[in-house]
Amino acid sequence: MSAPRPHDLLWLRNRSALATIKESWVSPFWHPDLPVVVRRDRRESGLIPIGVRGERREQRAAGWIAPDDILRVVTPESLADRTLLLASPFTAYAPVSAAIALSETVWPWCWGITGSTAFALATQRPTLHAASDLDLLLRAPQPLPRNALQRWQTETDALGCRVDTQVETPSGAFALNEWLREGRVLLKTDTGPILTASPWSRENP
């Protein structure tokens, strides 16, 4: 199994995997049928940084797990599969219908779905509502053409819900709309945010 990346959803073996997380709501709420999400942070002693999502928006808990605790990994890219999207019970919700519209085009990069829409698609749990956003991820190991990124932004701006696109580079991730607007971005890295005009460089800013 390759190392999980930020935004991957992980299913764990049992409750003991989250024994070090102390938020009071986690123990009575979380069970192994629910995934946790990989977050961006240092990976100390081989442990993987993860977050737990609760029933309410303010219920978020952070922790680390051992790779041996992982049973299953679902990537953002797999959730953007057109066949899966069309078979979803949530096609009437704007974020899913928006993702279906994007899947009609062949894009010059891999893209995936994150956030609450990803959680709903992966678990079949009704976590979406009328005002839900669509959070997307573009994989960009090499710099991408600005005109192609602008086309993506134009298409997502015309969809039926708010869309937030993060671009994932070898150095971290940044907000696409910020990059197109400013030419500089706040790059999210494993060691904290960096303001840079070179988000693909490992030597920032």
Side-chain angles (χ1 to χ4, degrees):
M1 179 188 299
S2 59
R5 297 182 289 183
H7 301 290
D8 284 353
L9 294 173
L10 311 179
W11 277 257
L12 308 179
R13 294 183 184 281
N14 50 51
R15 290 176 180 270
S16 65
L18 300 182
T20 60
I21 296 181
K22 301 304 182 185
E23 280 83 346
S24 59
W25 59 266
V26 173
S27 180
F29 169 77
W30 187 85
H31 53 83
D33 288 338
L34 296 176
V36 298
V37 64
V38 180
R39 59 187 177 83
R40 197 177 304 281
D41 203 339
R42 291 184 176 87
R43 301 199 176 195
E44 300 175 359
S45 304
L47 299 179
I48 298 167
I50 57 91
V52 183
R53 177 192 181 99
E55 290 183 301
R56 300 194 300 274
R57 190 178 185 88
E58 69 273 14
Q59 289 181 326
R60 299 291 186 268
W64 280 262
I65 61 164
D68 289 347
D69 288 326
I70 301 170
L71 284 179
R72 177 186 172 210
V73 180
V74 169
T75 66
E77 293 92 329
S78 69
L79 296 173
D81 178 80
R82 183 170 173 80
T83 301
L84 182 149
L85 290 170
L86 290 170
S88 167
F90 306 119
T91 54
Y93 287 88
V96 178
S97 62
I100 291 170
L102 283 173
S103 74
E104 294 173 359
T105 299
V106 178
W107 297 96
W109 46 64
C110 292
W111 65 279
I113 301 171
T114 64
S116 60
T117 305
F119 194 88
L121 291 169
T123 64
Q124 308 294 295
R125 293 171 67 89
T127 56
L128 297 175
H129 52 78
S132 290
D133 297 341
L134 175 60
D135 296 311
L136 299 174
L137 178 70
L138 303 187
R139 298 289 186 192
Q142 302 295 329
L144 297 174
R146 184 182 179 89
N147 62 340
L149 290 172
Q150 186 62 68
R151 179 188 171 207
W152 171 275
Q153 187 67 43
T154 299
E155 286 215 22
T156 58
D157 283 346
L159 296 172
C161 64
R162 183 181 181 277
V163 179
D164 176 38
T165 301
Q166 294 280 314
V167 180
E168 185 85 21
T169 80
S171 300
F174 63 88
L176 176 58
N177 61 353
E178 183 183 358
W179 172 250
L180 293 173
R181 184 179 65 248
E182 306 289 345
R184 289 173 66 86
V185 289
L186 197 65
L187 186 71
K188 300 175 183 176
T189 77
D190 289 349
T191 55
I194 300 170
L195 183 63
T196 179
S198 306
W200 278 272
S201 174
R202 292 187 181 276
E203 297 179 0
N204 292 296

